[in-house]
């Protein structure tokens, strides 16, 4: 179980985490929540334990509130909230009117869906923080046990973390081999190691959901 998720009875998953791993995961999850932000809806209620200063993160999207119509300027956020429509990589040289039509369709789609998507991503990140805060790692670490529903939220949070980190690192499909051989002096090394580790967690968690 050490280092990867394994299936448990009832459709959930479990993993052994040491104190350092718990701290890293929680720190990354909180940074993800800060990146996603509280959204435009009214905040209400107290922040969950350990999340003081992030009041409103636990709220769902306000009903019928219009979301933004333009993609985020931050590349990592744009990766988390991409345009829904576009010419696609195999479309060749798109015509201006086709690009404009795709932009208009994406804008309208974003306006009515981004608040809900942002709220779901916040809930996934908060689910990770709450689960980690419920652990009391000792000298030999602690075992985190997730239900099937918890696993799906963790899978969403892990995916969002990898997308955000991969964007910050400017990772491409062709960079896979090079990431494993970065020298310790490379300032990207800690985040690359986190990116690869999260990928392993994500892969094994997917396997438990398919069992």
């Amino acid at each position: 179980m050490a280092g990867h998720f394994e299936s448990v009875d009832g459709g959930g998953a479990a993993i052994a985490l040491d104190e350092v791993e718990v701290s890293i995961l929680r720190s990354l999850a909180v940074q993800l929540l800060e990146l996603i932000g509280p959204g435009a809806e009214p905040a209400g209620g107290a922040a969950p334990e350990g999340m003081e200063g992030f009041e409103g993160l636990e709220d769902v999207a306000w009903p019928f509130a219009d979301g933004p119509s333009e993609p985020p300027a931050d590349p990592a956020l744009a990766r988390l909230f991409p345009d829904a429509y576009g010419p696609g990589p195999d479309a060749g040289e798109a015509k201006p009117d086709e690009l404009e039509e795709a932009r208009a369709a994406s804008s309208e789609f974003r306006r009515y869906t981004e608040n809900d998507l942002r709220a779901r991503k916040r809930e996934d990140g908060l689910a990770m923080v709450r689960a980690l805060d419920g652990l009391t790692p000792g000298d030999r670490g602690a075992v985190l046990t997730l239900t099937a529903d918890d696993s799906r939220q963790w899978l969403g949070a892990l995916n969002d973390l990898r997308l955000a980190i991969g964007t910050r690192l400017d990772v491409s499909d062709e960079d896979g081999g090079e990431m494993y051989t970065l020298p310790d002096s490379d300032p990207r090394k800690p985040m690359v190691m986190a990116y690869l580790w999260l990928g392993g967690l994500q892969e094994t968690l997917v396997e438990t959901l398919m069992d």
Side-chain angles (χ1 to χ4, degrees), residues 7-13 146-149 151-152 208-209 211:
S7 300
V8 297
D9 293 340
L146 304 174
T147 66
D149 287 341
S151 296
R152 283 184 280 272
T208 69
L209 291 171
D211 287 344

Side-chain angles (χ1 to χ4, degrees), residues 66-154:
D66 286 351
S69 58
E70 297 298 326
D74 186 314
L77 272 178
R79 188 71 179 89
L80 294 177
F81 302 101
D83 278 337
Y85 303 99
D90 301 323
E93 192 69 26
K95 299 178 181 179
D97 58 335
E98 293 175 337
L99 291 173
E100 183 59 33
E101 183 178 347
R103 278 194 292 266
S106 292
S107 177
E108 191 72 0
F109 186 82
R110 182 182 298 277
R111 179 184 172 197
Y112 291 111
T113 62
E114 185 168 312
N115 279 350
D116 286 341
L117 180 58
R118 192 177 291 263
R120 181 175 62 77
K121 290 181 181 296
R122 285 199 302 273
E123 281 301 317
D124 290 346
L126 281 168
M128 177 177 285
V129 172
R130 292 182 184 118
L132 294 170
D133 284 349
L135 296 177
T136 53
D139 293 338
R140 297 185 178 181
V143 174
L144 171 72
T145 302
L146 304 174
T147 66
D149 287 341
D150 293 336
S151 296
R152 283 184 280 272
Q153 286 192 295
W154 267 66

Side-chain angles (χ1 to χ4, degrees), residues 161-163 165-167 169 171 179 190-200:
L161 281 170
R162 294 193 77 242
L163 287 175
I165 293 172
T167 303
L169 293 171
V171 171
M179 289 195 297
M191 290 311 297
V192 166
M193 296 304 295
Y195 178 82
L196 295 173
W197 177 51
L198 292 170

Side-chain angles (χ1 to χ4, degrees), residues 58-75:
E58 71 282 1
D59 292 341
V60 298
W62 193 251
F64 312 119
D66 286 351
S69 58
E70 297 298 326
D74 186 314

Side-chain angles (χ1 to χ4, degrees), residues 171-178:
V171 171
S172 68
D173 293 337
E174 292 76 23
D175 296 332
E178 296 180 9

Side-chain angles (χ1 to χ4, degrees), residues 34-58:
E34 291 177 320
L35 176 65
I36 294 171
E41 67 274 11
E49 183 179 355
M51 293 296 292
E52 291 78 11
F54 295 95
E55 287 80 5
L57 287 174
E58 71 282 1

